Amino acid sequence: MGIEIERKFLVEDESWKSEAGEGLVCKQGYMVSESEKTVRVRIMGENGYLTIKGATKGITRSEFEYPIPVEDAEAMLGLCGGLVEKTRFLILHAGMTWELDIFAGDNEGLVMAEIELESEDQLFEIPEWAGKEVSDDIRYFNGYLSKVPFTQW
């Protein structure tokens, strides 16, 4: 079974840019977005994905992600409600990969970083540019942002 263990942080400044690679444009929508499960369609760069996630317990949830033809992903996005648009940057920090998202569209102004862990108690170094942790705040889940965008808070 696929498991996702993830911690999320708001980003305080732009000092991360010196560590970042090329960003990938991401557009995603939710066919189902409930507390017990989500079904997400995503186009990341030139690739399409279908992802199914279970309920979050702590910072852990089941996750299953499958590549799909980008044409199918585009058609499925048309079936979704509000879309989440962002550019994702991968940043290697202290031997671990962080994903930093700069949101666009209805979530303009939100910049968030996340790190995926092997276990909930795994130690890692928080970069200087990472601020407040928001792992437990559902407002920062992308499924929630698709329904109640950051610009409406």
Side-chain angles (χ1 to χ4, degrees):
M1 178 163 81
I3 299 289
E4 174 186 64
I5 303 170
E6 175 178 89
R7 292 189 51 191
K8 298 175 180 248
F9 297 82
L10 297 178
V11 175
E12 293 192 331
D13 61 46
E14 296 185 351
S15 62
W16 58 270
K17 286 185 175 181
S18 63
E19 302 174 62
E22 192 83 14
L24 274 180
V25 173
C26 174
K27 184 171 17 174
Q28 62 192 44
Y30 291 82
M31 300 183 87
V32 176
S33 182
E34 302 170 359
S35 59
E36 316 78 51
K37 62 186 171 272
T38 61
V39 179
R40 178 184 73 203
V41 178
R42 171 186 277 177
I43 298 174
M44 178 75 78
E46 301 296 317
N47 301 301
Y49 300 93
L50 181 65
T51 306
I52 299 133
K53 297 185 181 194
T56 302
K57 294 181 174 106
I59 58 170
T60 302
R61 62 182 163 180
S62 57
E63 178 184 58
F64 305 91
E65 185 166 77
Y66 305 97
I68 60 173
V70 72
E71 297 82 13
D72 290 357
E74 289 171 349
M76 289 179 193
L77 284 173
L79 302 173
C80 298
L83 298 181
V84 174
E85 302 169 86
K86 56 191 176 181
T87 302
R88 172 162 288 174
F89 297 88
L90 299 180
I91 302 169
L92 186 62
H93 179 80
M96 297 187 72
T97 301
W98 287 74
E99 297 174 342
L100 187 142
D101 294 333
I102 298 177
F103 289 81
D106 290 340
N107 290 294
E108 181 93 30
L110 179 59
V111 182
M112 193 167 39
E114 57 191 47
I115 185 168
E116 291 199 15
L117 305 172
E118 297 293 321
S119 67
E120 286 200 15
D121 59 356
Q122 180 179 351
L123 298 176
F124 62 96
E125 182 181 306
I126 299 173
E128 290 180 11
W129 42 261
K132 178 183 175 186
E133 183 169 4
V134 294
S135 302
D136 295 329
D137 189 337
I138 64 162
R139 295 177 305 161
Y140 294 98
F141 288 27
N142 284 274
Y144 184 88
L145 291 169
S146 72
K147 297 176 189 174
V148 185
F150 184 69
T151 56
Q152 294 180 11
W153 296 5

